Amino acid sequence: MPFQQRKGKSKDVEKVPELRTYQLISYHEIRRATNNFDVSNLIGVGGSCSVYKGTLSSGTVVAIKVLDLQNEETCKRFDTECEVMRNVRHRNLVQVITTCSSEHIRAFVLQYMPNGSLENWLYKEKSHLNLLQRVTIMLYVAVAIEYLHHGYDTPIIHCDLKPANVLLDKDMVAHVGDFGISKILAGNKSIAHTTTLGTLGYIASEYGSEGIVSTSGDVYSYGIMLMEVLAKRRPIDEEIFNESLGIREWMRRAFSGTMLEIVDANLFSEEDKITSKSESCIASMIELALDCTNEKPESRITMKDVVKRLNKIKNIFLGSRS
């Protein structure tokens, strides 16, 4: 049954073309598009999939996510992702163009993102993201998750928010992807139980210990990712973090004193001066991240709150630069 969208369509939803019933793609066409899965077209490898750049017979350049059929969980993830992507469309979600399911392959044909993942920009790219770019990217991510949580009568929980699952298009606009372990909350239930975990370092304690999935779990993962984007430190960085000191406590301690010492030095170029407004912007983002990552789920803010506050932070920062 299709989801009931709430009244007052988001303008961001309107910008995405209506996904009509599409032609399923054949295994033969995928082989042709990727030049028989040539390694030169391989653009990413995950725990249970490989992603290739491909060109369809129409000339459209796409990303083709091929799932590992040796992994039993993979087929379940394929079905989950298909169900979610049939029901959602938003300019800040990675668009699924078509799928392929046969005895040889399970694959998604996705909108191609030429600027790769946020993770690559944090850790691998030679060029660096400045403060405004990071604020804007995290705002786009927040808008996408707000849509999943609040855009339909039935909330969708992503369950695996992290920089590797945020992809950037040619204009550096962020799109959230990978819904392989997402959960659709049936009826009006605000939580669900699962045995499928996300990525260590990003999952909330109630998710990891009790398998409780809720919108507040995504908010927690978002807050951890916001800290990572500001500090350029993975939440499982063994050089700094351990059982007694996680990224949240590290950030909380720095918030009251050594804040500028822990943020990524590449937030500002050599020409940029750190102004009181930019310092205030960083402080507001750290405060927001801390509010997202409260230990108790009921104490966390919602993604609607995140979007409002990030919009305000961005506008104040832009005002300081004009």
Side-chain angles (χ1 to χ4, degrees):
M1 189 176 84
F3 290 7
Q4 291 295 310
Q5 187 165 9
R6 296 188 175 171
K7 290 180 181 178
K9 269 191 178 180
S10 163
K11 63 181 183 299
D12 297 305
V13 178
E14 296 288 359
K15 291 176 184 175
V16 179
E18 186 73 55
L19 294 180
R20 296 178 176 82
T21 304
Y22 47 68
Q23 185 72 40
L24 293 177
I25 193 168
S26 69
Y27 176 57
H28 172 75
E29 170 71 353
I30 286 179
R31 284 185 60 180
R32 191 208 60 76
T34 59
N35 194 18
N36 199 23
F37 306 105
D38 191 276
V39 68
S40 65
N41 288 318
L42 186 65
I43 54 177
V45 179
S48 59
C49 70
S50 300
V51 182
Y52 294 86
K53 183 179 180 181
T55 306
L56 301 181
S57 51
S58 64
T60 304
V61 177
V62 294
I64 300 174
K65 184 165 85 169
V66 181
L67 279 66
D68 175 13
L69 296 184
Q70 304 299 317
N71 186 328
E72 193 176 331
E73 278 292 311
T74 298
C75 292
K76 294 178 185 175
R77 292 187 176 198
F78 179 80
D79 294 338
T80 298
E81 198 156 353
C82 281
E83 184 180 2
V84 171
M85 297 317 296
R86 271 199 301 268
N87 286 297
V88 300
R89 58 189 189 90
H90 188 278
R91 71 181 295 268
N92 294 119
L93 296 176
V94 176
Q95 185 183 349
V96 177
I97 297 168
T98 185
T99 60
C100 179
S101 178
S102 74
E103 60 179 317
H104 305 293
I105 195 172
R106 298 283 192 284
F108 292 96
V109 178
L110 306 165
Q111 178 184 4
Y112 178 62
M113 297 288 164
N115 275 309
S117 71
L118 175 57
E119 179 177 37
N120 283 349
W121 277 88
L122 289 175
Y123 301 110
K124 295 178 184 176
E125 294 286 339
K126 290 179 181 177
S127 52
H128 303 288
L129 298 169
N130 62 33
L131 180 58
L132 180 59
Q133 286 175 310
R134 296 184 207 210
V135 173
T136 304
I137 286 168
M138 291 307 292
L139 175 58
Y140 286 137
V141 174
V143 167
I145 303 305
E146 179 195 26
Y147 165 75
L148 292 177
H149 289 181
H150 305 287
Y152 288 87
D153 288 338
T154 308
I156 297 169
I157 318 301
H158 187 282
C159 295
D160 199 17
L161 278 178
K162 58 184 178 181
N165 289 338
V166 174
L167 302 175
L168 304 168
D169 68 16
K170 62 182 176 60
D171 299 314
M172 295 297 285
V173 173
H175 302 252
V176 176
D178 200 342
F179 291 81
I181 61 170
S182 58
K183 296 283 180 270
I184 300 169
L185 295 184
N188 292 318
K189 289 183 181 177
S190 60
I191 62 170
H193 292 263
T194 185
T195 55
T196 311
L197 291 178
T199 304
L200 289 176
Y202 300 91
I203 54 178
S205 58
E206 73 276 5
Y207 186 7
S209 61
E210 302 169 56
I212 295 175
V213 175
S214 67
T215 52
S216 63
D218 273 354
V219 173
Y220 180 92
S221 300
Y222 177 89
I224 295 294
M225 182 162 61
L226 184 54
M227 294 177 190
E228 180 177 4
V229 165
L230 287 172
K232 195 180 162 184
R233 292 283 185 185
R234 297 182 192 275
I236 51 171
D237 187 333
E238 293 179 358
E239 289 182 16
I240 301 178
F241 309 128
N242 51 48
E243 286 184 12
S244 59
L245 180 68
I247 190 171
R248 186 186 194 276
E249 179 60 17
W250 183 66
M251 275 274 182
R252 191 192 67 76
R253 292 179 186 179
F255 183 54
S256 58
T258 56
M259 182 182 70
L260 290 180
E261 291 178 20
I262 65 161
V263 296
D264 182 12
N266 296 309
L267 279 177
F268 303 97
S269 67
E270 291 181 6
E271 301 82 43
D272 286 334
K273 290 182 180 177
I274 301 176
T275 64
S276 58
K277 281 287 179 71
S278 58
E279 197 171 332
S280 173
C281 171
I282 293 170
S284 297
M285 289 177 76
I286 293 176
E287 187 176 17
L288 175 61
L290 292 172
D291 288 344
C292 288
T293 52
N294 278 310
E295 187 66 22
K296 293 183 178 179
E298 61 273 17
S299 299
R300 296 172 201 148
I301 60 177
T302 68
M303 288 311 299
K304 283 187 174 182
D305 298 324
V306 173
V307 171
K308 285 178 187 173
R309 284 170 62 174
L310 263 185
N311 262 318
K312 187 175 179 181
I313 291 167
K314 182 181 177 183
N315 289 335
I316 290 172
F317 183 61
L318 283 174
S320 73
R321 292 160 61 94
S322 58

